[in-house]
Amino acid sequence: MFPAAFDYIPARSTDEALSVLAQYGGDARVLAGGQSLIPAMRFRLAKPAVLVDINRIAELATIGEHNGELRLGAGARDQGLELSGQILSGRYPLLADVCAVVADPVVRQMGTVVGSLCHNDPAGDWPVAALAGNASIVVRGKGGERVVPIDEFIVDSYTTAVGDGEMAIEVRFPTPDARTAGAYFKIERKVGDFATAAAAARVTLAQDGTVAKAAIALGAAGPCGFRVAEAERALVGAKPSAAAIAAAADAARKAADPVSDTRGTVAYKKEMAGVLVERALRKAFARLGVEDIR
Amino acid sequence: MKVSLKVNGADYERDVEPRVLLAYFLREDLGLTGTHVGCDTSSCGCCVVLMDGEKAVKSCTMFAVMADGHEITTIEGMKKDGKLHPMQQAFSDQHGLQCGYCTPGMMATAIAFLKHNPDPSEAEIRDALSGNMCRCTGYNNIVKAVQQAAAELSAPAAEPVAAS
């Protein structure tokens, strides 16, 4: 089905895009890769009156490191990230896991990281990774710019802190230090399907080998991705052990609040949330050289 | 809205409504029906075409106006100088198609993939094609065809044989 009619404005610069957004407010949507927005428009789930295409804005298509952060512009695509020097260097294992499994390989050639965050699908990969990766998003409007931590950026299903007349122009992921690693796992019926369950973990080890910091996030387990504070508490201060991992996984099972659908029952999805947290933790620890955890 | 783009080497200028999807623009406005629409919901990969020679895109999930100023290659444009593209030749040699419906999308996806991974493993080929469905389930021969094309495309060009 064809989308409802709309006016198309190909912006040549971020300022031009912001001017158009300021003019049309809530009637306008930003078009980046379009891999979620265009299907939503085709199903008439979205009927924006105006689309502001940002694909031609070179200043937004950037991937680079500044001030201890990996910064991805709103035009940076999943495949561009997957093939970037920063990902190939192995220093961002959590993000490397994610950009290899978003949707399917063809979708990743158009789809953008910031676009996925703005779409904020309950089963989306990037919101989960951004939560576990402690990301922040730069939101700009005509009036100025603010840097929004991911847990404030995510408001509800398909809803973010980006207001009318504003756009998300960049996401920033802190560069992990040598004692920090993460991992991401999801279960999908087939490549490209929505996740049945998804989990991301990030851990930092102290000098004595105990867990200094932990972040655990779930996807497809509620109205939007979320962090599981209880699971994080089970890890911090503990040595990486089977018992600590099991406690974190149990907390994830309890916190998961999925819906029953063709992808699985509530009981199955809750169980898988725990299984994936365990897998993600074991992989993250292994990446820090801690293997065969008993 | 006016769009100018290159399709299979030829320049086109057309007036299109912004909501027209690239797949329908190619098929209905330009008559290039080799680009197939399968699921029409971005799930099957039948409609994949090449953008700017190196990117595989789902033409059912892109507006024609987004292709303004770009170069699109469809299955009709893969043949050069009357010779099949090595990917087409490989699909023919390896029986990489049965009904042929998924074939143009498979080839476009595989050509783009080999641009950044010219010497892939079988597992990498299967992963690269994981967004393209073949309902005849002829995946094994499709993978063999991509392997043949990879070998051919990465081989140094043969020296012309001197006339004796």
Side-chain angles (χ1 to χ4, degrees):
Chain A
M1 189 157 80
F2 272 61
F6 58 88
D7 287 332
Y8 172 81
I9 300 174
R12 302 282 160 181
S13 68
T14 310
D15 285 345
E16 189 191 340
L18 289 171
S19 296
V20 177
L21 290 169
Q23 187 185 339
Y24 292 99
D27 293 334
R29 288 287 295 270
V30 173
L31 173 66
Q35 302 300 291
S36 296
L37 180 58
I38 294 175
M41 289 173 66
R42 299 194 65 183
F43 286 118
R44 308 274 173 132
L45 298 170
K47 289 188 215 173
V50 176
L51 278 191
V52 188
D53 185 350
I54 62 163
N55 283 287
R56 290 176 179 80
I57 305 176
E59 68 196 7
L60 290 179
T62 51
I63 296 173
E65 286 173 303
H66 305 274
N67 292 336
E69 293 171 327
L70 178 64
R71 297 183 174 184
L72 311 174
R77 302 185 198 279
D78 292 312
Q79 192 192 55
L81 178 62
E82 190 178 1
L83 300 176
S84 69
Q86 289 82 7
I87 290 297
L88 296 175
S89 74
R91 284 180 298 122
Y92 296 91
L94 168 61
L95 307 190
D97 284 354
V98 177
C99 60
V101 300
V102 174
D104 71 48
V106 178
V107 167
R108 295 200 292 271
Q109 296 178 50
M110 280 298 278
T112 64
V113 178
V114 172
S116 163
L117 291 170
C118 291
H119 183 58
N120 194 24
D121 191 290
D125 300 294
W126 281 116
V128 183
L131 283 161
N134 207 18
S136 51
I137 293 95
V138 181
V139 178
R140 195 183 289 174
K142 285 296 269 181
E145 184 175 287
R146 57 205 167 98
V147 180
V148 184
I150 183 66
D151 50 337
E152 291 170 29
F153 182 83
I154 292 176
V155 173
D156 201 349
S157 304
Y158 310 105
T159 307
T160 69
V162 179
D164 290 348
E166 289 186 321
M167 74 183 266
I169 62 159
E170 184 175 274
V171 58
R172 298 174 174 177
F173 289 93
T175 305
D177 60 27
R179 306 193 65 82
T180 300
Y184 179 73
F185 279 94
K186 73 170 165 181
I187 292 173
E188 52 186 1
R189 295 180 303 178
K190 62 171 274 294
V191 167
D193 188 25
F194 291 100
T196 302
R202 178 175 55 91
V203 288
T204 302
L205 292 179
Q207 288 296 335
D208 65 359
T210 59
V211 177
K213 284 189 230 165
I216 304 289
L218 296 179
C224 31
F226 63 96
R227 273 175 71 163
V228 187
E230 185 93 0
E232 296 168 0
R233 275 197 292 274
L235 292 160
V236 173
K239 286 245 182 211
S241 66
I245 291 172
D250 278 341
R253 281 185 188 91
K254 285 200 189 79
D257 185 21
V259 290
S260 184
D261 60 15
T262 51
R263 294 177 183 83
T265 61
V266 167
Y268 173 72
K269 290 181 178 184
K270 281 172 86 75
E271 179 59 23
M272 289 309 106
V275 168
L276 295 188
V277 163
E278 171 160 0
R279 284 184 196 165
L281 280 169
R282 285 187 179 271
K283 190 161 182 188
F285 284 128
R287 283 169 163 165
L288 293 169
V290 184
E291 292 183 75
D292 296 325
I293 297 170
R294 284 154 206 276
Chain B
M1 166 159 193
K2 277 244 178 321
V3 291
S4 328
L5 71 169
K6 212 184 253 295
V7 179
N8 300 333
D11 291 313
Y12 291 91
E13 215 178 273
R14 288 285 192 282
D15 205 11
V16 295
E17 211 188 331
R19 63 178 174 158
V20 172
L21 297 148
L22 180 61
Y24 292 87
F25 174 76
L26 294 169
R27 289 176 57 83
E28 293 170 9
D29 286 50
L30 304 189
L32 297 169
T33 54
T35 297
H36 297 158
V37 176
C39 67
D40 214 9
T41 56
S42 200
S43 304
C44 77
C46 285
C47 67
V48 174
V49 297
L50 282 174
M51 185 155 80
D52 301 327
E54 55 175 27
K55 184 183 277 199
V57 297
K58 292 185 178 179
S59 62
C60 82
T61 307
M62 180 172 167
F63 296 116
V65 288
M66 294 167 75
D68 183 47
H70 288 281
E71 186 171 352
I72 300 294
T73 309
T74 68
I75 189 74
E76 290 93 340
M78 286 180 188
K79 204 158 80 171
K80 277 235 164 63
D81 306 322
K83 232 182 116 193
L84 292 179
H85 185 284
M87 190 63 74
Q88 292 175 302
Q89 189 60 53
F91 269 71
S92 171
D93 292 349
Q94 299 295 336
H95 305 286
L97 62 153
Q98 291 171 55
C99 83
Y101 206 86
C102 71
T103 314
M106 287 282 181
M107 289 188 187
T109 303
I111 289 170
F113 166 63
L114 293 181
K115 295 260 178 195
H116 65 82
N117 190 348
D119 184 24
S121 66
E122 185 188 326
E124 287 170 335
I125 294 171
R126 288 184 183 274
D127 180 66
L129 296 176
S130 59
N132 298 64
M133 286 199 240
C134 167
R135 290 299 76 181
C136 306
T137 71
Y139 294 106
N140 285 342
N141 287 354
I142 290 170
V143 171
K144 282 186 204 156
V146 178
Q147 286 173 318
Q148 176 183 322
E152 198 145 319
L153 287 164
S154 61
E159 291 286 320
V161 180
S164 53

